[in-house]
Amino acid sequence: MISRLYSASVTGIKGYEVQVEVDARPVDDVGRMTIVGLPDAAVRESIQRVTAALSNSNFFQPGQLLVTVNLAPADVRKQGPGFDLPIALGLEMVIQQNCDNMPELFRRRVPAGLDDWCILGELALDGKVRGIRGVLPLAVAARNAGRRYLMVSQENATEASVVDGLQVYAVETLRDAWDVLLERERFSPVPAHSGEFRSIGEKDFDEVKGQPYARRAMEIAAAGGHNLLMCGSPGSGKSMLAARLPTILPPLTHDEALEASAIHSVCGLLPREGGLLRCRPFRAPHHTISDVGLMGGGSTITPGEISLAHHGVLFLDELPEFNRRTLETLRQPLESGVITISRASGTMDFPCSFMLVAAMNPCPCGYLGDPRHSCRCRPAEVVRYRQKISGPLLDRFDILIEVPPVNPASLLSKPDGESSAAILKRVLVARERQKLRYAGTGITCNARLSSKLVRTFCPLTGSQQNMLLAAVSQLGLSARAFDRILRVARTVADLAGHEQLADSDLYDAIQFRQFEQQLHS
Ligand SMILES: Nc1ncnc2c1ncn2[C@@H]1O[C@H](COP(=O)(O)OP(=O)(O)OP(=O)(O)O)[C@@H](O)[C@H]1O
Ligand SMILES: [Mg+2]
Ligand SMILES: [Zn+2]
């Protein structure tokens, strides 16, 4: 007699259902337990955890057994320690039903009719149930496969309870798990989590004094989803401005929150107190990050920083310090919003649609052009420093600005800057205009307009065409920069409430590219 329970596993960021079948029969010689169905190392080690957890939980261990665990479907790789709990429960069910010489003391009623359950959890040697990674996509997979009840550790309960259509039962130990399966009615499920969003609160644009030009650039970037590069001397507030960008971005929609949270879930990065990600992710990897850390990969393929920034902001501080080759690999995913990772273990697509925000100093010492410090760099050093950022990468930024040093007097002065809430209001109005305009095209913001759609949605008058052509030839801009100016102009117009691009909208957008020429020279 065998037992059959449902569990789930994840590849990349997608969950799928797995059937856990356990067969156990007594043997005369040495007992053995084998797991088949493409288990990874963590799944194979399940054997030791399951046996220890069962005996430490006072479940009966009959002498020598030949145990076979089959994880179906057999052709997909199974990852992680999450099968411990269903394997242990399944094994005990078989033992209870097949063992003739079991002392009365150990006899238990065996739960039945478990087809509605999906069971997930790692076991500690003492029988405690531990949390696992990726519970959110696993719970979604269980729900989509038609399961009604989900069993997870206490640690994973809030994360799982966001998924509607599933009743989540949190268990602390293997024995609890047995009791819950036996008499579900006696226990109450975890209250459904609304997955509500809360503002991040601590950081606010009102702390940023002065810097009207940089603040405006931030607002435009947020309103149209544009990539932004800031250049300025140390202490001018670049990192400070970037960190406040998420506070003026529109809240995540439910679908966006689910998608972004699934990525954080498989990386074990969802906040424990629960629910979905509440505000747009802001990822600021250090410039020493490896390619795998940034792009994703590894022996079991996991998402990198660019995917963790999905639907949010990727901030590359000290941009020229990043490995040049690493920066170049960013170009393709920046354009497509998807990264494809190929390894011996398979090929996987991860979403990575993010706003790129970067900061840099004007030169290696940082003070070139600063009226209050003199720059110690030789011209050749400045050129080498700037050349670390290739033309094609610069081309990916819609808005390039210089952030001047702050005047110390303005740091003490009142009033404070405008608050994030006030800026967000204008951003939301501009986003609403974009949503209406692009309804049915699958595009959500100006930054995502294709070259063709730019022509459709940003028509220019004759004199505007001349103005743009003059700017492009004077600044030596590429065809890609041409489209970028139009997209930014569209956002400036949306913020100003202009249905048609005004000359001033186009003019502002051109200003945001002026600086590119300086960086190249
Ligand atoms: N406009 C500003 N208003 C208020 N405080 C500011 C402003 N600019 C800078 N500061 C203060 O200076 C500190 C340093 O700013 P920040 O780290 O953002 O500079 P940075 O431009 O990123 O410098 P670096 O090039 O060295 O990275 C901030 O933490 C903040 O306290
Ligand atoms: Mg900084
Ligand atoms: Zn310098």
Side-chain angles (χ1 to χ4, degrees), residues 207-209 211 233-240 318 361 406 411:
E207 297 157 89
V208 181
K209 305 268 175 83
Q211 302 292 20
S233 47
S236 55
K238 303 179 296 295
S239 306
M240 188 183 188
E318 327 284 352
N361 295 131
V406 262
L411 287 181

Side-chain angles (χ1 to χ4, degrees), residues 229 324 360 362 382-396 400 475-478 481 513-521:
L229 174 65
R324 180 166 173 154
M360 63 183 284
V382 176
V383 171
R384 206 173 329 120
Y385 180 76
R386 293 183 173 185
Q387 274 176 350
K388 287 205 194 154
I389 305 158
S390 71
L393 184 64
L394 270 189
D395 253 359
R396 260 75 175 178
L400 300 95
L475 299 175
L477 298 178
S478 69
R513 281 232 90 92
Q514 293 275 1
F515 185 59
E516 182 173 4
Q517 202 187 20
Q518 279 185 46
L519 278 178
H520 273 316
S521 62

Side-chain angles (χ1 to χ4, degrees), residues 173-221:
T173 64
L174 181 54
R175 295 182 61 153
D176 288 352
W178 186 274
D179 293 342
V180 170
L181 291 185
L182 203 58
E183 286 180 298
R184 185 183 46 77
E185 304 75 20
R186 282 207 305 124
F187 299 84
S188 29
V190 180
H193 196 288
S194 63
E196 246 175 45
F197 316 112
R198 193 182 52 192
S199 87
I200 7 178
E202 310 130 31
K203 296 199 172 82
D204 199 294
F205 263 96
D206 62 11
E207 297 157 89
V208 181
K209 305 268 175 83
Q211 302 292 20
Y213 189 61
R215 293 175 62 106
R216 173 122 204 277
M218 283 271 156
E219 176 173 339
I220 294 167

